[in-house]
Amino acid sequence: DRDNTIVRDPGFLRGPDLVELLPGAGDAIRKLNEAGIPVVVITNQSGIARGLITREQYHAVTSRMQGLLADAGACIDAIHYCPHLPELTGDCECRKPGPLLYRTAARDLGLDLERSWYVGDRVTDVLPASTLGGTGILLATHGPADDDAIRNGFLLAETLLEASAIILGR
């Protein structure tokens, strides 16, 4: 996930000047990079379908995020986004928790989804672990974990840095 996982989410992040890495996010991704673990971002960007942001704005924000991560010695191996909103554009398989973007990333990078980690601040970010295999880590960005997370057996972490420590077994 991107918003409230790697970067602060002010609500429909429109401009690169608004991009702010969350504390420890750069360190977390750098540590995963150093361990040879591919880092992939799958993000829903319904603001595009709503007409609140353009694809160009989305790409400018993405570029800024990648620049800030590079300054921290970190990099993301792939980023995939869903620009849809079912109420406006109809159902799609790319909107999380749909499987399409995960399968695309796995194909492109040679990833084993059953050995993958799914990290995000909403249950929809980690729910693919239940259908594709792997392990979900729900971040406590929105307060205590909800019952869905607990019922699905997801791990819990306060931050992306804490989640990276779980992934790395530290």
Side-chain angles (χ1 to χ4, degrees):
D1 184 44
R2 183 191 83 175
D3 301 328
N4 278 337
T5 298
I6 299 171
V7 299
R8 191 167 313 284
D9 182 9
F12 301 108
L13 193 50
R14 294 183 178 109
D17 55 317
L18 299 174
V19 177
E20 179 185 349
L21 291 181
L22 289 173
D27 290 338
I29 294 170
R30 180 180 39 76
K31 289 176 182 187
L32 294 169
N33 296 152
E34 289 169 351
I37 298 173
V39 177
V40 176
V41 172
I42 307 291
T43 179
N44 289 339
Q45 294 297 318
S46 68
I48 295 170
R50 297 171 197 253
L52 299 174
I53 64 171
T54 65
R55 288 179 191 263
E56 293 75 20
Q57 287 172 311
Y58 163 78
H59 289 295
V61 164
T62 299
S63 180
R64 175 68 176 150
M65 178 185 70
Q66 289 173 306
L68 292 172
L69 288 169
D71 291 345
C75 75
I76 295 172
D77 296 283
I79 301 174
H80 299 279
Y81 72 102
C82 173
H84 306 117
L85 180 64
E87 300 86 63
L88 297 175
T89 56
D91 289 336
C92 67
E93 288 194 18
C94 63
R95 184 169 178 79
K96 290 185 292 183
L100 181 63
L101 297 181
Y102 298 95
R103 289 185 175 138
T104 299
R107 182 197 66 226
D108 292 351
L109 296 174
L111 305 175
D112 180 349
L113 293 174
E114 291 183 6
R115 293 182 58 222
S116 294
W117 296 82
Y118 304 80
V119 181
D121 66 313
R122 297 189 181 277
V123 171
T124 53
D125 299 326
V126 298
L127 201 54
S130 298
T131 56
L132 299 172
T135 305
I137 302 177
L138 183 65
L139 302 182
T141 306
H142 301 288
D146 62 24
D147 291 339
D148 284 342
I150 295 165
R151 272 195 303 278
N152 283 294
F154 299 130
L155 301 176
L156 306 174
E158 292 294 319
T159 65
L160 185 56
L161 188 58
E162 184 179 322
S164 71
I166 293 169
I167 293 166
L168 294 169
R170 298 183 182 141

